[in-house]
Amino acid sequence: MTTEHYKEFIREAFLDPIRSVLIVDDDYPTFDEILNATINEDGWLQTDLKKNWQKNQKRIASMIASFRTPGRSLLVDIHDGQNVSLGAEVDSAAHLHQSDLLVIDFELDKTRPRDGIRAIEIIRRVSENDHFNLAMIHTIENLDYAFYSVLAGLMNKSGESISVESADEIKEKLEVLEDSHAGLRSKLISSIGNAQYFYSRANCKTYIRDMFSGAQPFSYFRDLSTEYGISKKDILSILKYLLLEVEKGLSFWESDKAPAHLDWSDRKIKWIRSDSVFVAFSDKHQEENLLESALIALNDWSPQPARLFLAKIRSVIDEFGVLAQSDALEPKYALAYWYDRLLTSDKQHQKWLISESVARHSDHLLTSVLKKVDDFALRLIGAERANGKPTEISNFRHRIDLTDAETIRRAQREHNAIVCSKPPHGWHLATGHVLKLNQEHWVCLSPLCDLVPSQMSQNLVRTFGDRLPFTAVKLHPIVKLEELTGIQTNRFLFLKIEGEIKAFGFNNPDYPDSSPYWQTLFAEKRGVFDGEDFKLRVRRTTKGARGLVSKASEALVVSQLRYEYALNLMQKLSVSTTRVGLDFAGV
């Protein structure tokens, strides 16, 4: 499937927003060095410093010029990496975090050949930023070596191990094989290297099966093992031993800050990606445009369309946010009124007013800029439809086969959960909050204005103290989702709870006309959550040995209905509680 059209949208989303480039490389002159240099008879810069840039000025000038093409003159800064050492000194180089594109020489310390630890430290620090960072390793070092060094430097060890006794036993088996077949031991060892090790890390559940099937990158190891009649049990033990030997030779981060979602490609086009950084690799021996090299790597990654949309939103806000901000600041009288309410309200009411004010401002800002993102999406969809069949394109972009029945069911359930609910937010109980209470799930359906802690009426305070009464409906879990029918009847909810999509009925799923089971519950501390964990104590009236009793239990908000869905259920509950029982007889 053609990808050239898609590459241009990647360029627009990720590269066009770039405004600044920082080159960290002692093969480039700093501005101080340029200002203090003299010009020799050939018209080139000359200094007393023993730095390689004086021998490669034409190539360096060409590289910098590639960032300053007509209509796209980027701000280029150069750091020679001399004060970038380990630990705190890397942290102190704050400007390393402030560029849109970071170009780093792998070997910043020329006194330690093939040692890329300084460059890796910089990428580690950059990866800890919350925003997306684009970096390029530009090196004369072997790209495979640089790539695997950086990859190991961004992850923890596998956690796999074998006992000393088992290791000694495997070594002995390798010696026996060597005695029977001269050179076999060294062949087996050389057949398992970085490529095989990192494949096993990326495919930890399937790499053994792949190896036995002869798939790359294990085909040579499998062929050797088969050719010399090594048993399957010994093949497996030797493989695990050799993989751990490879691990011993790598330098890992071993930090809880190591990216949790790391992806990479060690093919011809090499790149590493986490949620916060994308690292491409480029050979200094080749004359090339680094922005185009970054684009080629990004295109090989092939980010999903949704990621392009989000990147475009960020860039549009960055570029046009000031103009949109002017529109958002237009209603001056309303803004003055909102701010006056913030200043004059009590502390608890102030929290609610701040949330409302921030939401209004952000909504106004996004409304002004999203038209440009809509245009981007329309152009992307048009280009995609012109280059293939819709289902095939979607499958290619997401690596998900929507022609498979089970896959489409999973996709539909995720869709239902997203349009129906969202992760909980807020600092107090609110309309649509779904609570897990004594292994049951209840949804709060009181109007939001009745749930604001500071607006609890004095009559309620005198009656219930700090216990906030609210209406809750018990949700009925759907055990067999595949048997669910009547999904469009406004009776069912889909929630993502603890990473799993779960479905619930608003009333008894087996009886469409049954009434919902509702009850008035009481939230202690006026429904204000304990800390940041959406926990609160809830009192529920139940039958005791001598009458009704009130029991307090811990509750946890596990999801939240979108407001339109919560409003729909509030209306259904209202209809149920105000129905008229008609005295009809049989006919």
Side-chain angles (χ1 to χ4, degrees):
M1 181 176 292
T2 178
T3 60
E4 286 305 308
H5 71 281
Y6 200 70
K7 182 192 292 186
E8 293 309 309
F9 289 95
I10 293 175
R11 184 198 302 275
E12 183 176 341
F14 287 104
L15 297 186
D16 285 354
I18 289 177
R19 297 291 179 268
S20 61
V21 180
L22 175 62
I23 300 173
V24 185
D25 192 336
D26 62 354
D27 286 339
Y28 285 71
T30 64
F31 288 118
D32 286 342
E33 291 169 1
I34 293 173
L35 292 172
N36 292 321
T38 58
I39 300 176
N40 62 23
E41 58 186 16
D42 296 322
W44 294 106
L45 296 176
Q46 181 176 321
T47 73
D48 295 332
L49 299 172
K50 294 181 180 180
K51 286 194 171 184
N52 290 335
W53 65 261
Q54 298 183 74
K55 304 175 184 177
N56 302 297
Q57 294 184 44
K58 185 175 181 180
R59 182 181 66 81
I60 292 171
S62 175
M63 185 63 67
I64 294 176
S66 70
F67 295 121
R68 304 182 64 80
T69 56
R72 185 185 175 82
S73 186
L74 303 182
L75 176 65
V76 180
D77 193 8
I78 296 171
H79 190 293
D80 63 4
Q82 293 304 299
N83 69 340
V84 179
S85 58
L86 304 184
E89 290 186 36
V90 173
D91 289 332
S92 67
H95 60 288
L96 298 177
H97 301 223
Q98 297 171 358
S99 296
D100 299 324
L101 174 63
L102 188 60
V103 179
I104 315 172
D105 182 18
F106 178 73
E107 194 179 271
L108 288 175
D109 187 353
K110 294 298 187 289
T111 64
R112 303 175 66 177
R114 307 201 85 196
D115 187 343
I117 188 61
R118 285 186 177 179
I120 293 170
E121 277 286 316
I122 291 172
I123 294 175
R124 286 174 177 174
R125 295 297 179 263
V126 169
S127 73
E128 295 173 15
N129 288 353
D130 293 332
H131 59 272
F132 185 80
N133 303 274
L134 186 59
M136 171 74 73
I137 295 291
H138 193 45
T139 181
I140 60 172
E141 186 55 77
N142 176 275
L143 283 188
D144 282 337
Y145 177 80
F147 170 81
Y148 289 123
S149 298
V150 174
L151 181 55
L154 288 176
M155 62 168 56
N156 296 326
K157 288 183 178 179
S158 65
E160 298 287 337
S161 63
I162 56 176
S163 65
V164 175
E165 294 77 9
S166 297
D168 291 341
E169 186 179 328
I170 294 169
K171 291 178 186 177
E172 191 173 317
K173 286 179 181 178
L174 288 171
E175 292 296 337
V176 171
L177 289 170
E178 179 68 18
D179 292 340
S180 303
H181 309 283
L184 177 57
R185 179 177 177 276
S186 60
K187 288 179 180 178
L188 287 170
I189 292 174
S190 64
S191 69
I192 301 298
N194 287 330
Q196 291 74 21
Y197 173 78
F198 285 106
Y199 183 93
S200 72
R201 293 294 302 270
N203 305 275
C204 57
K205 295 182 179 179
T206 62
Y207 79 92
I208 292 175
R209 182 190 66 199
D210 296 340
M211 182 273 295
F212 278 120
S213 68
Q216 291 289 9
F218 294 103
S219 57
Y220 183 50
F221 174 81
R222 201 289 304 264
D223 290 345
L224 281 173
S225 304
T226 303
E227 180 182 349
Y228 290 98
I230 304 175
S231 68
K232 283 191 173 183
K233 180 180 178 182
D234 287 346
I235 290 174
L236 185 57
S237 61
I238 291 172
L239 174 63
K240 290 188 174 181
Y241 168 77
L242 293 178
L243 289 172
L244 286 174
E245 287 298 297
V246 173
E247 185 173 82
K248 289 179 182 178
L250 295 167
S251 298
F252 293 86
W253 194 355
E254 292 300 301
S255 166
D256 58 1
K257 296 179 180 179
H261 303 104
L262 204 61
D263 190 17
W264 64 85
S265 169
D266 57 1
R267 299 184 296 271
K268 182 179 179 181
I269 301 171
K270 304 182 189 307
W271 50 264
I272 301 170
R273 183 198 71 83
S274 73
D275 288 341
S276 60
V277 66
F278 183 91
V279 186
F281 293 80
S282 176
D283 189 342
K284 274 189 180 180
H285 291 110
Q286 300 178 5
E287 294 292 335
E288 58 184 326
N289 184 317
L290 289 187
L291 285 174
E292 288 302 311
S293 296
L295 178 60
I296 290 170
L298 287 165
N299 189 55
D300 188 72
W301 165 36
S302 189
Q304 297 175 1
R307 191 180 292 274
L308 297 188
F309 296 160
L310 293 173
K312 186 65 176 178
I313 290 173
R314 292 197 306 270
S315 67
V316 169
I317 289 177
D318 185 52
E319 185 172 1
F320 300 102
V322 173
L323 294 178
Q325 178 179 294
S326 298
D327 292 339
L329 295 174
E330 180 64 28
K332 297 179 180 179
Y333 293 93
L335 295 177
Y337 177 67
W338 293 348
Y339 194 62
D340 181 72
R341 291 205 303 171
L342 293 178
L343 293 172
T344 57
S345 61
D346 60 65
K347 190 171 182 180
Q348 279 199 334
H349 192 205
Q350 193 178 72
K351 282 187 176 182
W352 179 74
L353 288 174
I354 287 174
S355 297
E356 289 295 304
S357 181
V358 170
R360 291 191 186 104
H361 289 320
S362 59
D363 181 64
H364 204 148
L365 182 66
L366 282 174
T367 300
S368 300
V369 303
L370 287 183
K371 292 178 182 178
K372 297 183 182 297
V373 182
D374 291 344
D375 174 69
F376 174 83
L378 283 170
R379 289 187 285 111
L380 173 59
I381 297 304
E384 290 277 75
R385 288 172 65 93
N387 281 274
K389 297 179 180 179
T391 301
E392 292 178 358
I393 293 172
S394 179
N395 291 353
F396 178 76
R397 295 291 175 223
H398 298 87
R399 303 295 188 266
I400 292 175
D401 183 9
L402 293 178
T403 61
D404 176 71
E406 181 56 36
T407 300
I408 192 66
R409 278 196 293 269
R410 179 175 179 179
Q412 289 171 339
R413 290 168 186 172
E414 283 193 1
H415 163 80
N416 292 342
I418 290 172
V419 299
C420 168
S421 60
K422 58 185 178 181
H425 72 279
W427 53 277
H428 66 84
L429 185 66
T431 310
H433 274 159
V434 178
L435 300 90
K436 187 175 183 180
L437 176 64
N438 296 329
Q439 303 306 311
E440 297 176 340
H441 289 87
W442 295 73
V443 57
C444 172
L445 292 182
S446 286
L448 184 59
C449 56
D450 292 342
L451 298 171
V452 179
S454 60
Q455 294 185 4
M456 188 172 172
S457 71
Q458 288 303 309
N459 287 333
L460 289 178
V461 172
R462 283 191 292 268
T463 306
F464 302 114
D466 274 351
R467 299 180 181 90
L468 177 71
F470 66 97
T471 301
V473 171
K474 181 181 176 182
L475 300 177
H476 302 265
I478 309 297
V479 179
K480 296 182 179 180
L481 272 174
E482 62 276 4
E483 297 180 5
L484 183 62
T485 59
I487 194 174
Q488 303 288 354
T489 57
N490 278 347
R491 299 191 301 120
F492 300 106
L493 302 174
F494 290 81
L495 312 175
K496 189 172 185 179
I497 299 175
E498 297 178 351
E500 183 181 351
I501 305 298
K502 297 183 179 181
F504 297 88
F506 180 66
N507 57 358
N508 190 326
D510 297 327
Y511 301 96
D513 297 326
S514 61
S515 297
Y517 178 71
W518 66 275
Q519 193 172 354
T520 297
L521 306 181
F522 295 86
E524 295 191 349
K525 297 182 180 178
R526 301 191 182 194
V528 176
F529 297 138
D530 292 331
E532 302 293 330
D533 297 327
F534 298 102
K535 292 180 180 179
L536 69 163
R537 286 181 63 82
V538 172
R539 286 192 172 272
R540 179 182 175 190
T541 303
T542 61
K543 183 178 71 173
R546 298 182 180 179
L548 296 178
V549 295
S550 176
K551 291 185 177 180
S553 302
E554 295 290 337
L556 176 67
V557 178
V558 294
S559 186
Q560 183 171 354
L561 298 185
R562 296 190 183 277
Y563 193 71
E564 60 269 28
Y565 280 80
L567 186 62
N568 170 63
L569 295 188
M570 290 171 66
Q571 292 172 339
K572 290 178 71 68
L573 178 63
S574 177
V575 170
S576 174
T577 55
T578 58
R579 68 190 184 280
V580 178
L582 301 178
D583 191 21
F584 286 153
V587 294

